[in-house]
Amino acid sequence: MYSGSMSTPDRLIEATRALLWERGYVGTSPKAILERAGAGQGSMYHHFSGKPDLALAAIRRTAEELRAALEDVLGPPGTPYERIEAYLRRERDVLRGCPVGRLTMDPDVIASDELRAPVDEMLAWLRGRLAAVVEEGRVQGQFAASLDSGQTAATILATVQGGYVLARASGSPAAFDAAVRGLLALLSPGDAPKGGRS
């Protein structure tokens, strides 16, 4: 499944990342990780102290990749509204949910300060990054002067994460798309935007 040039630790991390997204922490057994990674017995404990250590490395890598992808969307060029719209409409597997956000529903991850930390850090970074874009738009007069940038950023993030939940519950991305359209209409400096998820 993985390139022959990929090191064993990288194969283990990539396998764990995929399994955490598919099955959650409890459903990700060491045996499943080894099978997915094409790694031999004992290789996990040769490179990592155990499943929690490997899961932490996987969560950190997922958060790092997601942060880089989101920075590409939220950074210039484009107006603040266009960048927030690009974030909301970015290509995503809606029915699978957010690879980081879904971990907040995993009781074993939330019960572990160590495993929860990179999840919390990623979401806090995203709230801060969105707040900065909203504040930029507010200062430029693109958004209402009365908007609280931090609260608006939290609303944007909650719309995305809640949209995943609604979409998964209904088995269709339509609920996610409706939430995005509604939020963009509220934020729009002009006419409400048209269309769904790109």
Side-chain angles (χ1 to χ4, degrees):
M1 177 174 188
Y2 300 108
S3 163
S5 62
M6 189 181 287
S7 71
T8 299
D10 279 339
R11 291 203 317 272
L12 290 167
I13 290 171
E14 291 303 313
T16 304
R17 291 176 64 196
L19 289 165
L20 285 172
W21 198 5
E22 292 168 16
R23 306 179 185 182
Y25 184 81
V26 173
T28 299
S29 67
K31 181 180 178 183
I33 293 169
L34 292 172
E35 287 177 358
R36 179 75 62 100
Q41 290 283 359
S43 61
M44 176 190 296
Y45 298 98
H46 178 71
H47 297 286
F48 300 93
S49 62
K51 177 180 162 182
D53 185 38
L54 177 53
L56 181 61
I59 293 168
R60 283 181 175 154
R61 183 173 294 179
T62 296
E64 287 167 9
E65 286 191 6
L66 184 57
R67 183 179 300 200
L70 294 177
E71 185 56 47
D72 284 346
V73 172
L74 291 169
T79 67
Y81 179 88
E82 288 168 346
R83 284 146 52 201
I84 288 172
E85 181 179 27
Y87 163 68
L88 289 169
R89 294 187 189 275
R90 69 185 287 268
E91 192 62 39
R92 40 172 65 94
D93 191 343
V94 172
L95 295 181
R96 286 185 75 192
C98 173
V100 172
R102 274 190 70 176
L103 293 170
T104 64
M105 303 301 291
D106 194 313
D108 284 28
V109 171
I110 295 306
S112 165
D113 289 343
E114 193 173 27
L115 293 177
R116 188 179 69 248
V119 175
D120 183 40
E121 288 163 10
M122 172 61 208
L123 294 175
W125 172 85
L126 181 52
R127 278 194 310 273
R129 192 67 187 84
L130 287 166
V133 177
V134 172
E135 181 63 16
E136 186 183 333
R138 196 185 68 76
V139 169
Q140 292 176 5
Q142 192 169 26
F143 299 135
S146 60
L147 275 186
D148 180 287
S149 300
Q151 291 175 2
T152 304
T155 300
I156 294 167
L157 185 54
T159 298
V160 170
Q161 296 299 325
Y164 285 131
V165 172
L166 295 175
R168 286 170 61 81
S170 66
S172 166
F176 183 96
D177 293 342
V180 165
R181 287 194 302 271
L183 181 56
L184 286 172
L186 291 172
L187 292 174
S188 177
D191 294 332
K194 297 175 176 60
R197 175 174 41 88
S198 57

